[in-house]
Amino acid sequence: MSTTDTGAAPVRSQTATEVWFTMNSLVRDQAKQSRTRISEVIDIPFSRFRALRRVAVRPMTQRDLAERMGVDASAMSGIVDDLVARGLVTREADADDGRRKRVTITDDGRRVVDEVTENPATAPDMFAALDESQLRQLAGLLELLREAEES
């Protein structure tokens, strides 16, 4: 059994699968509340914000964006069309393969993402259980997972 040095109750060792299920459940259980909170901060549909947040991390092809979001090509085309019309992303032919479309966030799009991510009311209430150090530690661990997933 391992313990944390934060004074928290002992936590038994868990497999990666158990940790994944816990993380997945926490996110899914908060999804509706999160969508509502984000909608209160910005005036775009949540599906558009999900796409915008992904391309804020790095530009990607429209096909990759659709795969990562779990939507079909026609739905993604509509999402990207809307984001382009709002001036939040650009869509251009990919430099390596002109048949592919690369989606890139604009300065206005970055401002929208920043407006949501910098608003403390956007995060679920459960994050109040973490102090600043724990939040930084969690952010670092999630970044490691994101990098591993993209490699």
Side-chain angles (χ1 to χ4, degrees):
M1 193 182 293
S2 66
T3 61
T4 63
D5 58 352
T6 62
V11 178
R12 74 172 182 81
S13 296
Q14 295 183 340
T15 67
T17 301
E18 289 174 309
V19 173
W20 164 247
F21 285 151
T22 300
M23 185 173 69
N24 193 343
S25 293
L26 286 170
V27 170
R28 289 179 183 272
D29 291 350
Q30 295 296 316
K32 184 176 181 180
Q33 180 187 24
S34 181
R35 284 186 203 106
T36 300
R37 288 177 178 212
I38 290 169
S39 295
E40 290 171 356
V41 175
I42 56 173
D43 187 28
I44 64 172
F46 183 73
S47 61
R48 275 54 172 172
F49 181 74
R50 280 184 64 215
L52 192 60
R53 178 73 180 96
R54 296 237 182 211
V55 297
V57 173
R58 67 174 174 80
M60 60 180 63
T61 66
Q62 191 166 306
R63 170 180 273 162
D64 288 344
L65 185 56
E67 286 176 12
R68 290 185 181 274
M69 288 183 54
V71 300
D72 64 29
S74 63
M76 184 50 60
S77 184
I79 290 169
V80 173
D81 286 347
D82 186 40
L83 290 171
V84 168
R86 292 172 187 264
L88 303 177
V89 301
T90 60
R91 175 177 41 205
E92 300 170 346
D94 185 76
D96 297 328
D97 182 348
R99 296 169 296 178
R100 293 181 180 213
K101 303 298 181 201
R102 181 157 301 276
V103 181
T104 305
I105 196 166
T106 65
D107 290 341
D108 285 343
R110 183 143 329 265
R111 276 191 284 279
V112 168
V113 170
D114 289 347
E115 184 178 352
V116 172
T117 58
E118 292 172 5
N119 186 328
T122 305
D125 295 336
M126 66 182 165
F127 279 89
L130 302 177
D131 64 27
E132 199 171 319
S133 174
Q134 291 167 323
L135 193 58
R136 275 194 310 274
Q137 183 180 11
L138 178 59
L141 294 170
L142 291 172
E143 180 63 17
L144 284 173
L145 292 173
R146 188 188 62 76
E147 289 172 1
E149 191 271 332
E150 291 184 355
S151 64

